Amino acid sequence: MLIQKIKNIFQTRFGFILLLLLLYWAKTIFAYFIDFNLIMEKPFQYVILLINPIATGLLLLGIALYIKNTRAFYITAFVIYFLMLLLLFSNAVYYREFSDYITINTILGSSKVASGLGESAIRLFRFWDIVYFIDLLGFLLLKITKHFPVDVKPFNKRAAFAITWLSVLIFSANLFLAETDRPELITRTFSRDYLVKYLGLNAFTSYDAIQTYNTNQIRAKASPRDLTDVTNYVKAHYAAPDPKYFGKAKGKNVIYIHLESFQQFLIDYKLKDENGVEHEVTPFLNSLYHSNETYAFDNFFNQVKAGKTSDAETMFENSLFGLDQGSLFTQLGGKNTFEAAPSILNQTQGYTSAVFHGNAGTFWNRTETYKQFGFNYFFDASYFDVTSKNSFQYGIHDKPFFEQSVRYLEHLQQPFYTKFITVSNHYPYEQFTNDEGGFPLAQTKDETINGYFATANYLDTAVKEFFDYLKASGLYNNSIIVLYGDHYGISNSRNPSLAPLLGMDSETWADYNNAMMQRVPYMIVNPNDTDGHINHTYGGEIDALPTLLHLLGVDTTKYLQLGQDLLSPAHQQIVAFRNDNFVSQNFTVLGDKVYNTQNGIEITNPDASTQEVITKEKEAVAQQLSISDQINNGDLLRFYKDSGLDAVDPSKFKYKDGLGQAEKIEKDKGSKSTSLFSENGNKTTQYLFHTQTYKELHPEEETTNK
Ligand code: GP9
Ligand code: MN
């Protein structure tokens, strides 16, 4: 009875579409769980996952319902179904090799696809692949045996329309749920994993197609002539290095430590616990800040927008801004030409480069972007022993991260240019419930603020442990270590609640204060130097690369970098934010409001000379941002030949088996190998890394914190 009823339903045209939808849904879910490695953080995300194939599946399959002719209807329905399956299946296969999804660019630049899916594709097939196509065989059998049910009655046009609307509705609901769970999913496009997880493959591919089309339009219109404005700007804006500092760290290893979401106000901050006892939040970073080995900057601002971490990286590696919308890494990172730090240092000074980061390499499209930047190695989450105990949603915690990085670091040829991207001090600043727990929480009504200090304290200890290792292994003496906060950890909307902890009033908290909170640490530790000091120059992330290159003794005149050396006397102290607001030494301009930067007083009626300066500074900011956009959106560096650098060939870099690659170089170089491992008589230095939990470090607190 029931079976007959079901059969009857599927014998209609609409029923047939539903059947295809059901099959497509089941296969997608199968792919989600078997082939794709989607990281699910909470049950709600499973709900979204179950819905997303239905929305776009129904929309696409529903197209067939508009067709009158019987044969045409069935053929169209099949073709749509088949194409959706093909997309699903090829992504499943591609994922096995690349742990990523197929983009329009991957298809267009087919060399990359070929390298993974060419002759080796067969090796990527799995026995369960039959699941993706077995039903087609069934349909074929029905057709041959003439049992294929055909409904000659056309579907009502209006009803077809209603189905389309229904699918749009389901898609909107899907989008709404996704945005609730992950705000700004669409505008920030964190990673392809996220788009697939939340919206499904069809939506991801369509979105990717639109994005690719838009960027390709602008690129196609760009020509070498567009470089004239850019080179003129860069020449006029060049700040020559102070000879006192130029080349001070020449030939040294560079070790960047990316302090996640770390703001300048944490430096020297003491948090009061509920008993009024003060706890220094970041004692180790404070000691660096005050050391005369360190060039520290206390008016250094983050300049990121929606690309957050990736925007900071864009600036540090290129001295170019991120984009006005979304992330440069995800939109252009995989295809633009760059003249980034790794490639400059490799080609002019023979540096080897590597990034260490305990999150999936696909996040912010890093794997692709780093290749374009010229990074030799990328040690992402797949290189670390990540367990549910030692990690959270952004990857492995900082202490095991540094500890486990050493086994790769010691094999890199020196001098090296490396970057360690930490994660533990990331929103939502979840508390450690294990032996790392114990640092007091702040006492505000906002849990995010309350947890921020404890995770910052954890990061501080993690960095200290790494420094201890650098000293013990000897790396310290021939390296410079650059530490920076990438962007705010406490958002503007939470700042009024933070105000009392800073000795300020929540009621009088103004836009000006929000702008001042965008300060992040920038510290260059140059071991054995004594000229270090706390520098009060106003600057930002865009200025980091020329500053670093000059310290390393690299002439930057030929490079199209938009920042200025912070140690140069010619540095103009204007810090552009990505939304055209800015802070300069004298003025802070936020929309229509102007403040005196030094005392925070709003200037409501600027006199003529003040107005003139403000207008000039405004123009300077607009020009700097616009030049950056011209370079990035037009992909102008592909035309630039005057830097003397060879273009980066991204296909040279394979981020799998990085250790094997490094060890092979060590072997090939033999006694000429400069890796720490080789210099240490081919013995590991891993045992020099010591790590301790918070509880071990603070036995006295056992009693106070139950
Ligand atoms: C993730 C990490 C965080 O890998 O870099 O990025 P964010 O959310 O800060 O931009
Ligand atoms: Mn970040």
Side-chain angles (χ1 to χ4, degrees):
M1 264 295 278
L2 186 69
I3 294 185
Q4 191 52 44
K5 256 195 186 156
I6 295 174
K7 246 183 157 177
N8 287 345
I9 293 176
F10 289 139
Q11 272 169 5
T12 65
R13 286 192 183 194
F14 181 53
F16 181 63
I17 293 295
L18 281 185
L19 177 67
L20 293 183
L21 181 65
L22 188 74
L23 288 167
Y24 174 70
W25 177 82
K27 289 176 188 185
T28 308
I29 300 300
F30 177 82
Y32 282 165
F33 288 99
I34 304 294
D35 281 315
F36 302 144
N37 179 24
L38 298 173
I39 298 157
M40 307 302 283
E41 288 137 18
K42 39 186 142 149
F44 184 53
Q45 296 183 345
Y46 285 100
V47 178
I48 303 176
L49 201 68
L50 294 179
I51 298 176
N52 71 41
I54 302 176
T56 54
L58 186 62
L59 183 73
L60 294 170
L61 289 167
I63 294 173
L65 291 171
Y66 288 93
I67 296 173
K68 253 194 183 158
N69 180 290
T70 310
R71 221 179 124 78
F73 163 78
Y74 281 100
I75 291 177
T76 312
F78 255 122
V79 169
I80 295 172
Y81 179 60
F82 185 73
L83 289 177
M84 291 199 311
L85 277 192
L86 202 64
L87 184 69
L88 181 66
F89 180 66
S90 24
N91 270 286
V93 176
Y94 185 81
Y95 198 93
R96 288 169 198 160
E97 176 71 10
F98 295 100
S99 306
D100 203 348
Y101 303 92
I102 302 176
T103 62
I104 302 297
N105 279 326
T106 354
I107 299 170
L108 295 178
S110 54
S111 64
K112 276 186 224 153
V113 189
S115 69
L117 292 182
E119 68 280 17
S120 64
I122 305 287
R123 280 193 286 116
L124 293 172
F125 290 152
R126 302 283 180 270
F127 70 87
W128 64 76
D129 288 344
I130 189 79
V131 172
Y132 290 106
F133 297 105
I134 188 120
D135 57 334
L136 297 182
L137 221 68
F139 284 129
L140 194 71
L141 225 68
L142 285 176
K143 177 86 185 123
I144 294 171
T145 56
K146 305 218 154 69
H147 281 96
F148 191 88
V150 173
D151 181 5
V152 288
K153 201 167 140 257
F155 197 64
N156 181 318
K157 271 248 160 67
R158 278 218 198 133
F161 212 65
I163 297 295
T164 305
W165 270 114
L166 178 69
S167 53
V168 171
L169 214 71
I170 301 175
F171 185 71
S172 314
N174 178 187
L175 200 61
F176 174 75
L177 294 178
E179 285 273 339
T180 331
D181 193 54
R182 172 55 69 170
E184 298 175 277
L185 173 71
I186 295 294
T187 44
R188 295 186 57 199
T189 59
F190 303 90
S191 82
R192 293 187 264 281
D193 287 290
Y194 278 47
L195 285 175
V196 172
K197 176 166 112 178
Y198 285 110
L199 303 178
L201 260 182
N202 296 330
F204 156 70
T205 310
S206 322
Y207 180 77
D208 183 57
I210 298 169
Q211 288 262 5
T212 311
Y213 177 79
N214 285 342
T215 51
N216 284 354
Q217 287 295 93
I218 303 174
R219 278 163 62 99
K221 282 196 201 112
S223 82
R225 263 175 292 131
D226 300 335
L227 274 173
T228 319
D229 279 357
V230 175
T231 45
N232 286 344
Y233 174 83
V234 170
K235 260 193 208 118
H237 199 240
Y238 172 72
D242 184 337
K244 198 170 151 204
Y245 302 118
F246 187 80
K248 239 184 177 231
K250 193 165 178 67
K252 283 190 168 187
N253 297 317
V254 178
I255 301 175
Y256 260 120
I257 300 182
H258 169 114
L259 306 170
E260 179 57 44
S261 304
F262 198 102
Q263 292 176 235
Q264 179 68 18
F265 82 85
L266 287 170
I267 296 290
D268 287 340
Y269 189 78
K270 292 192 179 73
L271 181 73
K272 272 196 188 130
D273 65 19
E274 69 251 56
N275 304 317
V277 179
E278 289 191 331
H279 299 256
E280 192 174 357
V281 181
T282 59
F284 182 67
L285 293 172
N286 298 347
S287 73
L288 294 180
Y289 182 67
H290 294 287
S291 157
N292 56 8
E293 288 185 337
T294 305
Y295 296 85
F297 295 83
D298 61 357
N299 287 315
F300 183 87
F301 290 75
N302 85 80
Q303 297 170 290
V304 309
K305 210 173 175 186
K308 300 289 283 287
T309 294
S310 67
D311 282 353
E313 289 190 62
T314 302
M315 289 182 270
F316 277 94
E317 303 301 345
N318 300 284
S319 193
L320 295 174
F321 285 97
L323 301 178
D324 191 33
Q325 281 178 22
S327 155
L328 177 134
F329 267 43
T330 54
Q331 291 177 37
L332 303 171
K335 61 179 189 184
N336 268 17
T337 300
F338 297 96
E339 295 192 340
S343 123
I344 295 174
L345 287 172
N346 176 270
Q347 295 191 35
T348 67
Q349 320 280 313
Y351 278 65
T352 299
S353 55
V355 181
F356 298 78
H357 182 46
N359 193 5
T362 48
F363 200 97
W364 287 134
N365 196 27
R366 284 188 170 101
T367 304
E368 300 279 310
T369 307
Y370 287 162
K371 289 180 185 166
Q372 301 291 120
F373 285 180
F375 274 108
N376 297 111
Y377 302 91
F378 177 24
F379 300 103
D380 72 351
S382 65
Y383 284 88
F384 294 86
D385 303 325
V386 187
T387 65
S388 58
K389 286 215 172 92
N390 74 6
S391 68
F392 75 132
Q393 58 170 313
Y394 290 102
I396 189 167
H397 278 302
D398 301 341
K399 286 187 192 178
F401 165 64
F402 282 119
E403 186 185 14
Q404 293 181 33
S405 292
V406 162
R407 62 168 96 128
Y408 308 114
L409 180 68
E410 65 180 6
H411 288 286
L412 299 182
Q413 295 298 307
Q414 303 184 67
F416 52 65
Y417 172 83
T418 53
K419 167 158 74 175
F420 293 80
I421 306 175
T422 64
V423 290
S424 301
N425 189 47
H426 192 291
Y427 176 83
Y429 316 111
E430 264 166 41
Q431 286 321 291
F432 289 97
T433 47
N434 55 15
D435 283 358
E436 294 295 359
F439 192 85
L441 299 181
Q443 313 286 317
T444 73
K445 282 196 202 103
D446 187 330
E447 268 184 41
T448 301
I449 296 175
N450 295 349
Y452 185 53
F453 302 90
T455 48
N457 173 264
Y458 172 85
L459 169 58
D460 183 72
T461 321
V463 172
K464 177 180 184 298
E465 289 180 354
F466 186 46
F467 265 74
D468 287 344
Y469 163 80
L470 294 175
K471 286 176 185 162
S473 67
L475 277 178
Y476 186 72
N477 285 324
N478 57 351
S479 303
I480 56 168
I481 302 108
V482 188
L483 304 100
Y484 67 87
D486 59 342
H487 50 73
Y488 64 82
I490 305 299
S491 59
N492 286 349
S493 62
R494 297 180 195 274
N495 277 341
S497 309
L498 178 68
L501 295 186
L502 307 175
M504 313 265 291
D505 187 348
S506 311
E507 300 296 314
T508 55
W509 188 270
D511 289 347
Y512 165 80
N513 303 94
N514 284 333
M516 295 303 114
M517 290 298 280
Q518 301 315 311
R519 287 184 173 93
V520 288
Y522 180 56
M523 303 194 257
I524 305 168
V525 183
N526 188 27
N528 308 317
D529 197 336
T530 48
D531 288 338
H533 58 273
I534 299 171
N535 186 307
H536 308 303
T537 301
Y538 280 76
E541 291 170 330
I542 197 78
D543 301 315
L545 182 57
T547 310
L548 175 74
L549 289 177
H550 287 167
L551 280 169
L552 296 175
V554 178
D555 173 14
T556 60
T557 40
K558 289 179 298 188
Y559 305 131
L560 300 185
Q561 298 172 351
L562 304 186
Q564 295 179 320
D565 179 349
L566 289 162
L567 293 166
S568 160
H571 182 272
Q572 288 166 349
Q573 306 196 50
I574 309 173
V575 190
F577 294 129
R578 197 46 266 214
N579 57 2
D580 288 293
N581 286 344
F582 67 89
V583 175
S584 73
Q585 200 181 8
N586 301 314
F587 304 110
T588 295
V589 175
L590 308 169
D592 297 336
K593 291 187 179 152
V594 179
Y595 298 88
N596 175 322
T597 298
Q598 298 308 321
N599 60 21
I601 294 173
E602 193 174 346
I603 303 171
T604 38
N605 274 319
D607 57 38
S609 68
T610 306
Q611 189 54 53
E612 200 180 313
V613 178
I614 293 171
T615 308
K616 266 208 179 122
E617 292 188 342
K618 252 190 192 163
E619 279 167 13
V621 165
Q623 196 186 12
Q624 195 186 25
L625 292 170
S626 135
I627 294 284
S628 178
D629 288 343
Q630 286 171 43
I631 296 176
N632 289 327
N633 293 330
D635 188 15
L636 297 185
L637 283 169
R638 73 191 141 136
F639 303 127
Y640 187 60
K641 304 282 175 250
D642 297 343
S643 62
L645 295 175
D646 294 333
V648 171
D649 173 8
S651 69
K652 260 187 17 202
F653 308 115
K654 307 261 180 296
Y655 292 154
K656 280 205 170 150
D657 193 26
L659 182 59
Q661 293 177 43
E663 285 174 335
K664 184 169 182 304
I665 295 174
E666 272 175 345
K667 248 204 208 121
D668 293 349
K669 292 206 165 205
S671 61
K672 292 213 178 75
S673 166
T674 57
S675 73
L676 180 64
F677 184 84
S678 304
E679 287 181 350
N680 195 40
N682 292 329
K683 279 199 227 65
T684 183
T685 61
Q686 288 175 54
Y687 69 95
L688 294 172
F689 198 106
H690 298 293
T691 183
Q692 273 185 301
T693 63
Y694 186 85
K695 290 246 160 75
E696 286 164 345
L697 286 163
H698 300 272
E700 77 286 355
E701 292 192 3
E702 275 299 301
T703 41
T704 36
N705 295 308
K706 51 191 169 47

